[in-house]
Amino acid sequence: MKNPVSRREFLAGAGAIGSLMLVGCDANAYLPPKVRGGLMGVSDVLTMATQRLMLSGQPLAQEHDVSEITKNFPTWGNTNPRQEDFQRLLSGEFVDWRLPVNGLVNRPISLSLEDLKRLPQRTQITMHICEQGWSAIGQWTGAPLLEVLRAAGGVADDARYVVVDTFDGWYESYDMFDVVHPQTILAYGLNGKDLPLGNGAPVRLRVERACGYKNLKFLKSINVVSSMEGIRGGTGGINSDSNWHWYAGA
Ligand SMILES: Nc1nc2c(c(=O)[nH]1)N[C@H]1C(S)=C(S)[C@@H](COP(=O)(O)O)O[C@H]1N2
Ligand SMILES: [Mo]
């Protein structure tokens, strides 16, 4: 084998195309919003297509026993957004916090913390896996994202991504495959208490099959869109805008 890189590239490409053929015509659910060029793009497609194929029955991420909960769940990344709008809400104990749900929904809404707590609730004990080399088990309580979209009257036919913005300027998008998953929740509780500030108060996203950076903290708004084109860097998230993977299965 003269050139191991091109051989690997060929194998990855063949695998990706094979997976896409197997999943049939809805190839969209197997591709990131923007496919990168080169070997990274090929491996993105291969990874996502393979995982989606394996997860096509929407299995749950492993849930753990209460005895396995990590004492003092770590905080990581931003732990207290300095932005003025956030600081104002924090000092009012988030009574005035509202989560607008806009875009391709049938009835745009704006939810208070109390509204969110009145929606159907899910509690799950799961392992958070940070791409930077640590993991911890926590018990999260919140409203399934699907229920939030239902409260907004459902989504339009051309809805493809849910875009989440945060008070510290982060954003990420999630395709409908992950959006409708039962463990994708807007969490307001950790280990039976209100979500602590450092872990993303008042509400954070839990996307249990994705690694740390897709689990956004300090939620500010939700938008349903048909494409990520023209939104910020156009790759579908703050992390993929700086060359991390958009699809970050854990
Ligand atoms: N808004 C926002 N969300 C974020 C981050 C951040 O800095 N800001 N860091 C991410 C990363 S890399 C990880 S590992 C987890 C950390 O969550 P924790 O502080 O509850 O441990 O949040 C993710 N969500
Ligand atoms: Mo992370």
Side-chain angles (χ1 to χ4, degrees):
M1 190 55 58
K2 282 188 309 228
N3 184 343
V5 173
S6 67
R7 177 171 179 268
R8 198 168 53 198
E9 189 161 16
F10 170 76
L11 290 176
I17 290 162
S19 305
L20 286 171
M21 275 161 40
L22 278 171
V23 301
C25 21
D26 192 16
N28 279 338
Y30 298 81
L31 291 171
K34 185 166 189 205
V35 178
R36 293 189 274 188
L39 205 58
M40 285 297 274
V42 173
S43 78
D44 280 347
V45 171
L46 176 64
T47 305
M48 186 168 168
T50 308
Q51 290 207 11
R52 281 294 165 84
L53 201 58
M54 293 185 331
L55 298 172
S56 58
Q58 292 280 31
L60 298 183
Q62 185 181 1
E63 297 198 5
H64 294 263
D65 188 75
V66 189
S67 63
E68 297 172 276
I69 293 173
T70 305
K71 316 266 172 273
N72 302 316
F73 195 96
T75 60
W76 194 261
N78 203 333
T79 53
N80 183 357
R82 57 184 159 65
Q83 281 76 3
E84 204 216 314
D85 51 355
F86 183 82
Q87 288 301 319
R88 210 174 329 112
L89 294 168
L90 173 63
S91 60
E93 296 180 347
F94 299 114
V95 169
D96 293 329
W97 178 85
R98 294 290 180 277
L99 183 72
V101 182
N102 287 321
L104 299 173
V105 290
N106 293 322
R107 184 162 33 87
I109 45 172
S110 188
L111 298 171
S112 68
L113 209 44
E114 289 311 309
D115 295 335
L116 206 57
K117 289 179 178 173
R118 274 195 292 268
L119 294 178
Q121 182 183 89
R122 191 175 204 285
T123 294
Q124 58 207 31
I125 303 175
T126 53
M127 185 181 285
H128 175 97
I129 301 170
C130 170
E131 65 295 337
Q132 286 161 299
W134 61 274
S135 64
I137 294 176
Q139 183 192 56
W140 308 97
T141 298
L145 178 51
L146 181 59
E147 295 296 340
V148 172
L149 296 177
R150 277 204 182 119
V155 301
D157 286 346
D158 55 341
R160 291 253 334 257
Y161 303 104
V162 170
V163 190
V164 177
D165 278 275
T166 73
F167 282 99
D168 57 344
W170 279 43
Y171 84 106
E172 280 293 337
S173 63
Y174 309 85
D175 64 7
M176 292 303 164
F177 186 87
D178 279 335
V179 165
V180 302
H181 189 262
Q183 287 170 324
T184 300
I185 65 172
L186 304 193
Y188 41 74
L190 173 59
N191 299 338
K193 303 205 170 82
D194 285 350
L195 185 65
L197 173 61
N199 301 107
V203 176
R204 78 169 309 160
L205 191 62
R206 294 299 311 165
V207 191
E208 301 296 354
R209 297 178 300 184
C211 74
Y213 63 75
K214 293 292 278 196
N215 288 260
L216 291 186
K217 309 195 285 187
F218 316 112
L219 299 198
K220 185 177 186 174
S221 67
I222 288 182
N223 250 292
V224 181
V225 302
S226 59
S227 156
M228 292 305 293
E229 223 179 294
I231 299 177
R232 311 248 308 242
T235 68
I238 190 164
N239 292 291
S240 48
D241 283 348
S242 44
N243 259 326
W244 292 76
H245 305 280
W246 175 82
Y247 178 76

